[in-house]
Amino acid sequence: MNPSTETATDTAGSTDLPEVPASTATAAPATIRLEKEEIPTVLGKLRTLVQDKTRFEPHDITPLGEVDVLQDFSLQANYALEARCEQRVINGYFAPADNDCRCQGGLHEVGALAHAQEKERLRCAAAKLDNALRQAGQAYNGVEAGVYLPHAVKYWHLDTCSNCTGRGRISCHTCHGSTTETCWNCHGGRTVSCDAYGCYGSGKISCSYCSGSGTVSEQVTDYVTVQVPTTTYSNGSSHTSYHSETRTQYRTEHRNCYHCSFGKVTCNSCHGSGNVNCGTCRASGSVTCRTCSGVGDLRCNPCDGSGKVGKAAWVDVHVAPGYSVSLPKQAPDDARRIRDKESVHSLAAIASSVGLAKVSIYNEDQPQEVDALYAAKLRIVRLDAACNAEKHHLVAYGTDLRWLTLDDIVEKLLRGDLKALSDALAGSADDGLFSAHVQRLLTPLRDVAASELNADVIESVLSGEADHAHVDIVSAEYAQNVRTCVLGALRQVYTRLAKQFWWKSALAALVAAIATWFFAGRGGAAVAGLLVTGAGYWLFNRKVKTVLSEALGGEQQAERAMRIAGKGRRNQLAQVLILAPASLAVLAASYGLPVRVRVRAPSPPAQAAMASAPVAPHAPAAVPQDASNAKAVKLYENGDKVQALAMLESLVGKGDAGAYGLYGWMLLMGEGKPGPVTAPTAQQRQARQVAAKPLIGKGLVKNDSYALTAKGVMLAEGWQEARNMARGLDLLKQAANKGNAQAMHLLGLYHVRGYQIPVNHKEARKWFTLAADKGSAGDIYNLGLMDWEGAGLKRPDRASALQRWKIAAAMGEERAIKAVAQGQP
């Protein structure tokens, strides 16, 4: 039978070992001894605890007798040894050490030779461990788990790599050694689908003259001869004669576009084929192999390019230590309780001495375990003391004198203060609902709080810790009682002080609200009352802190008591008593007082706008009786801006929320004013911006497209706003997506000019085209300019530009009329 199984026990140990005499040790024991003058006493530790953690004095504890003994115990360290055969795949880059052995027989012999070394390695490891444990000064836990004895020799063998036949390189699996692969873009076809705008492989694009519709509109002039009657009166009779007149009539004629076929023309990029030469492979159909980068072969993975693969094997010895503690059969009960309470390493750390007794190696032919038995001594002190005419038995152990039992000696000292506080709380319950006296509670509360141990216990309980503070000194029942009494006393202090203070806070808030109402109206009264309410709450907390400081003997103790009350939520009722009446008084005053109407003078920006606006003598435009926002928008889009502005002014005056967006836009841009159009001054522009900004803001609430356009322009240009080009473009795109032609026009301008953003002809052409589709003659002219200059195209298209200008000129665009007449812009 393995002797280690007979003696080793866990920390809860059920087997008792006889005491091992120190004389049986095979090596000089490593002991830790304390000089007599350095050894602490249990009585001194107890009196220090009473002095530091309670309000009582050390002389309240009277010693009756003390027994200080060294208890023998055994500590066993069991080291389980395991020989592990490790094997690794190696290649030609393997560099053997001097002791490593190459196997000539092949790969199958490598593992067999390594396994044959297991017994020898175990014997070496056991001998080494035995020698190490017997060394003077070696700690009982000095051997850690893991590799204890590394390999002494590696057995290895290398063969030619079968994957590359020893060359170290293999043919590329993508190009199969040809260094090129089929083009991934055209798949070897050498052509790809045309990606020109509008073509996309069809070979046809939309005609720019008819915008893909296949028909164009042009204005035709007809000269019509009509007979005009003329009647003359003479001598009471009349005579009618007729004469011919030639009159001009205009009509719009739709005809098929002669530049295209059903709205489509041949694509200039692919010349109608739908395909263009592949740019990836330059129309060759193949590209350099991406796997081997054109080399044609790759490094062999199994041998890593060395041409050799094989195997290496060796034996490492691992150790796994285990520890146990045993006591002699005649050991007292308190020694067994200490063993059950502490872990093995904890007991070793507080032992007075730990010395090696013997080392045992089991199964020397193939050792699997090595046991080390240590003889140790643990200091146990038993103290008999008297407190309040009662006798107590206390037990402490270890070099640091940890308490095994205090026999409730400290708890019984504190229970008198706790009972006085509990009686005071019971008496305060009979004082009545409106009682506001707190002095009767402060004295017992001071006595309980004066013991720092009580505060530690309460805070740990409130924090939800599994074990309360000083769990070895006071019981869980006492901890719960002290928590209940202290929190109850703090709640009474808060509540009774609040009963003294609440009406003062409410009255001060009401007076402040009424006084402020005379100068600032209801809103100012509410704000002032709430500020005074907050100030009253702060003063109440100052009052509580002052009372607790006087009662507990300092601000630090008062702050700790208030923190405990906050954690236990025992100040909530007092907070309600202070805040609720004052807040209700402020709300009643702010709603009950009449509204004070104040007449405001026109703001300086509005006055400046009125002063700088040009005044032209004109008759105001007549506003139809059936005015509506939709009709105003229609008038504006049809070009009747004067009538649209008059209708919008009427709708805004009536509070129509849908009219704010377009009205703000027209004010911002200075549109719709009768009279000659003149360039505004900087002062006039600023006045328009100031006047339009609030209207635009109201339009944004309705998500109006013109309000979005106006806000986007203000952000992009920095008008009455900090410049934010990204946000401005985002708002313009939102408006354009709603179909607003003005936003489309502005987006095209910003992108073609590169204003605060990079020039983007493709994006500009997109927005100009959308605006032109909405009937904007100016954007048709802009598209012609881009065609003339070749912006966004591979080459200028002068014919397309002239055709666009003719269309814009027919719609009345003055710049287009001049361009058509000159044959250039």
Side-chain angles (χ1 to χ4, degrees):
M1 181 180 293
N2 191 333
S4 63
T5 60
E6 297 179 0
T7 58
T9 62
D10 58 13
T11 55
S14 59
T15 302
D16 295 322
L17 289 181
E19 181 181 357
V20 179
S23 60
T24 61
T26 58
T31 60
I32 302 173
R33 299 187 182 276
L34 296 174
E35 297 297 333
K36 187 170 183 178
E37 59 272 11
E38 297 177 357
I39 299 177
T41 63
V42 175
L43 180 62
K45 184 175 182 179
L46 177 61
R47 285 180 168 176
T48 301
L49 173 64
V50 171
Q51 184 175 13
D52 292 344
K53 291 296 183 179
T54 73
R55 71 179 186 87
F56 299 99
E57 297 299 329
H59 58 73
D60 292 331
I61 306 296
T62 304
L64 300 178
E66 181 175 338
V67 178
D68 193 337
V69 299
L70 290 177
Q71 174 64 50
D72 294 323
F73 70 94
S74 300
L75 190 154
Q76 183 173 352
N78 174 259
Y79 300 95
L81 299 177
E82 179 186 4
R84 297 182 185 177
C85 184
E86 306 286 346
Q87 298 189 33
R88 298 288 186 274
V89 176
I90 60 174
N91 54 43
Y93 298 115
F94 173 73
D98 294 339
N99 295 331
D100 293 346
C101 179
R102 180 174 182 176
C103 300
Q104 301 297 333
L107 296 176
H108 63 281
E109 287 189 359
V110 174
L113 289 174
H115 277 293
Q117 296 295 317
E118 290 184 359
K119 291 184 179 181
E120 181 61 29
R121 300 305 293 164
L122 282 172
R123 283 194 292 269
C124 290
K128 178 183 176 183
L129 184 57
D130 177 71
N131 184 55
L133 293 174
R134 296 176 187 274
Q135 295 294 323
Q138 174 71 24
Y140 80 96
N141 57 348
V143 179
E144 297 181 355
V147 177
Y148 184 72
L149 187 66
H151 62 274
V153 60
K154 283 185 179 179
Y155 297 93
W156 61 277
H157 181 79
L158 284 173
D159 287 331
T160 302
C161 179
S162 61
N163 191 43
C164 62
T165 63
R167 294 185 296 109
R169 309 285 294 186
I170 58 173
S171 179
C172 176
H173 58 79
T174 301
C175 65
H176 304 289
S178 65
T179 72
T180 60
E181 63 173 315
T182 302
C183 177
W184 53 267
N185 192 26
C186 65
H187 303 288
R190 299 188 296 178
T191 60
V192 294
S193 179
C194 178
D195 60 353
Y197 181 74
C199 177
Y200 304 116
S202 65
K204 300 290 184 179
I205 60 174
S206 297
C207 176
S208 60
Y209 296 95
C210 62
S211 300
S213 64
T215 60
V216 294
S217 301
E218 62 180 16
Q219 194 174 34
V220 179
T221 304
D222 294 332
Y223 298 96
V224 180
T225 301
V226 297
Q227 298 293 324
V228 179
T230 302
T231 303
T232 58
Y233 296 90
S234 176
N235 299 325
S237 61
S238 62
H239 174 72
T240 301
S241 60
Y242 294 88
H243 65 276
S244 299
E245 287 187 2
T246 301
R247 295 183 177 179
T248 304
Q249 292 184 351
Y250 301 96
R251 59 187 174 85
T252 300
E253 184 177 278
H254 299 276
R255 61 174 178 80
N256 293 332
C257 178
Y258 55 81
H259 292 93
C260 64
S261 174
F262 300 104
K264 298 292 184 179
V265 296
T266 301
C267 175
N268 292 330
S269 298
C270 62
H271 304 291
S273 65
N275 295 322
V276 295
N277 288 336
C278 176
T280 303
C281 62
R282 300 183 182 274
S284 65
S286 61
V287 294
T288 301
C289 178
R290 293 171 291 173
T291 303
C292 64
S293 301
V295 177
D297 58 5
L298 302 170
R299 185 173 60 182
C300 178
N301 278 335
C303 65
D304 199 21
S306 66
K308 299 284 186 179
V309 293
K311 184 170 64 174
W314 62 92
V315 174
D316 289 335
V317 178
H318 292 249
V319 63
Y323 304 95
S324 60
V325 169
S326 298
L327 290 170
K329 292 183 179 180
Q330 67 275 17
D333 291 339
D334 52 10
R336 298 181 185 279
R337 289 172 57 194
I338 294 170
R339 182 195 61 183
D340 297 342
K341 179 180 178 182
E342 300 289 344
S343 65
V344 175
H345 299 295
S346 177
L347 279 176
I350 62 177
S352 298
S353 65
V354 177
L356 180 65
K358 68 176 180 178
V359 178
S360 302
I361 300 177
Y362 305 107
N363 191 6
E364 294 186 0
D365 181 49
Q366 188 175 356
Q368 300 290 331
E369 292 184 3
V370 176
D371 281 349
L373 187 64
Y374 294 86
K377 294 182 181 296
L378 178 67
R379 183 188 181 197
I380 302 179
V381 182
R382 302 174 181 90
L383 173 67
D384 291 319
C387 177
N388 293 335
E390 292 187 21
K391 294 181 180 181
H392 299 273
H393 181 70
L394 291 74
V395 180
Y397 61 93
T399 55
D400 55 356
L401 288 183
R402 303 181 183 184
W403 294 112
L404 178 64
T405 174
L406 273 169
D407 199 27
D408 298 335
I409 188 170
V410 177
E411 181 177 326
K412 289 179 180 178
L413 276 176
L414 299 174
R415 280 190 180 276
D417 294 338
L418 188 62
K419 186 177 185 306
L421 180 59
S422 177
D423 294 341
L425 281 173
S428 64
D430 300 329
D431 290 347
L433 180 63
F434 299 100
S435 176
H437 299 289
V438 296
Q439 296 302 322
R440 186 168 30 170
L441 285 170
L442 295 179
T443 299
L445 177 61
R446 179 186 62 232
D447 292 340
V448 172
S451 297
E452 185 179 347
L453 183 145
N454 289 329
D456 293 343
V457 168
I458 296 171
E459 289 190 346
S460 63
V461 171
L462 292 177
S463 300
E465 298 177 7
D467 292 329
H468 64 79
H470 309 292
V471 66
D472 293 333
I473 301 174
V474 295
S475 65
E477 179 188 1
Y478 175 83
Q480 191 62 33
N481 289 338
V482 72
R483 170 192 176 276
T484 303
C485 291
V486 171
L487 290 181
L490 290 175
R491 179 175 183 176
Q492 289 288 343
V493 170
Y494 266 94
T495 305
R496 294 188 176 213
L497 289 178
K499 292 175 183 178
Q500 301 174 10
F501 198 83
W502 72 268
W503 64 272
K504 300 176 184 177
S505 176
L507 181 60
L510 182 62
V511 171
I514 294 174
T516 308
W517 170 79
F518 285 100
F519 303 98
R522 282 183 174 179
V527 171
L530 292 177
L531 289 176
V532 172
T533 300
Y537 179 69
W538 179 80
L539 290 174
F540 167 71
N541 282 322
R542 291 293 301 174
K543 175 66 174 177
V544 173
K545 185 175 180 180
T546 301
V547 171
L548 290 178
S549 297
E550 294 174 356
L552 303 181
E555 288 191 2
Q556 185 175 0
Q557 291 82 352
E559 290 175 354
R560 190 172 190 182
M562 294 176 71
R563 185 167 62 249
I564 289 174
K567 282 186 178 180
R569 300 182 181 180
R570 293 307 189 270
N571 56 353
Q572 289 182 344
L573 179 58
Q575 291 174 347
V576 172
L577 288 175
I578 295 299
L579 295 176
S583 300
L584 291 174
V586 171
L587 292 176
S590 59
Y591 281 102
L593 292 172
V595 178
R596 293 180 58 82
V597 180
R598 301 181 65 192
V599 179
R600 298 179 180 269
S603 62
Q607 294 174 0
M610 291 187 290
S612 61
V615 180
H618 66 280
V623 180
Q625 295 297 323
D626 57 344
S628 66
N629 180 47
K631 291 183 178 180
V633 173
K634 188 173 182 181
L635 288 171
Y636 176 81
E637 292 177 348
N638 289 337
D640 193 354
K641 297 182 179 180
V642 175
Q643 185 72 13
L645 184 64
M647 186 177 293
L648 289 170
E649 288 177 347
S650 174
L651 293 172
V652 170
K654 295 177 182 179
D656 189 340
Y660 287 114
L662 180 55
Y663 186 59
W665 166 257
M666 295 183 71
L667 286 183
L668 180 68
M669 307 307 293
E671 297 178 335
K673 295 293 184 182
V677 179
T678 59
T681 64
Q683 185 179 8
Q684 290 174 336
R685 282 197 299 270
Q686 186 175 5
R688 288 194 325 219
Q689 296 164 12
V690 172
K693 184 175 180 180
L695 297 168
I696 295 169
K698 294 180 180 179
L700 287 173
V701 176
K702 304 293 288 185
N703 205 25
D704 183 85
S705 66
Y706 284 97
L708 291 170
T709 304
K711 187 68 173 180
V713 172
M714 294 178 75
L715 288 170
E717 299 292 340
W719 292 346
Q720 303 297 314
E721 300 275 356
R723 189 189 299 276
N724 189 339
M725 197 66 189
R727 178 60 179 161
L729 289 177
D730 182 62
L731 292 176
L732 288 173
K733 288 179 181 178
Q734 292 181 35
N737 292 333
K738 290 178 174 289
N740 192 295
Q742 298 289 352
M744 299 172 185
H745 169 73
L746 289 168
L747 286 169
L749 284 180
Y750 284 138
H751 283 96
V752 78
R753 293 177 180 174
Y755 182 70
Q756 299 288 327
I757 56 174
V759 174
N760 190 335
H761 290 145
K762 183 177 180 180
E763 194 74 3
R765 181 177 289 275
K766 166 191 169 183
W767 292 113
F768 282 147
T769 302
L770 292 174
D773 292 341
K774 300 285 288 186
S776 173
D779 291 305
I780 297 175
Y781 173 78
N782 290 334
L783 284 172
L785 278 179
M786 296 185 72
D787 289 343
W788 183 272
E789 296 173 0
L793 302 175
K794 293 185 177 180
R795 62 184 66 85
D797 191 349
R798 302 293 172 84
S800 175
L802 287 172
Q803 183 62 28
R804 291 185 191 276
W805 290 338
K806 288 178 183 179
I807 296 173
M811 298 173 68
E813 175 62 37
E814 294 181 359
R815 295 175 298 170
I817 295 173
K818 293 180 181 179
V820 171
Q822 298 172 0
Q824 62 182 9

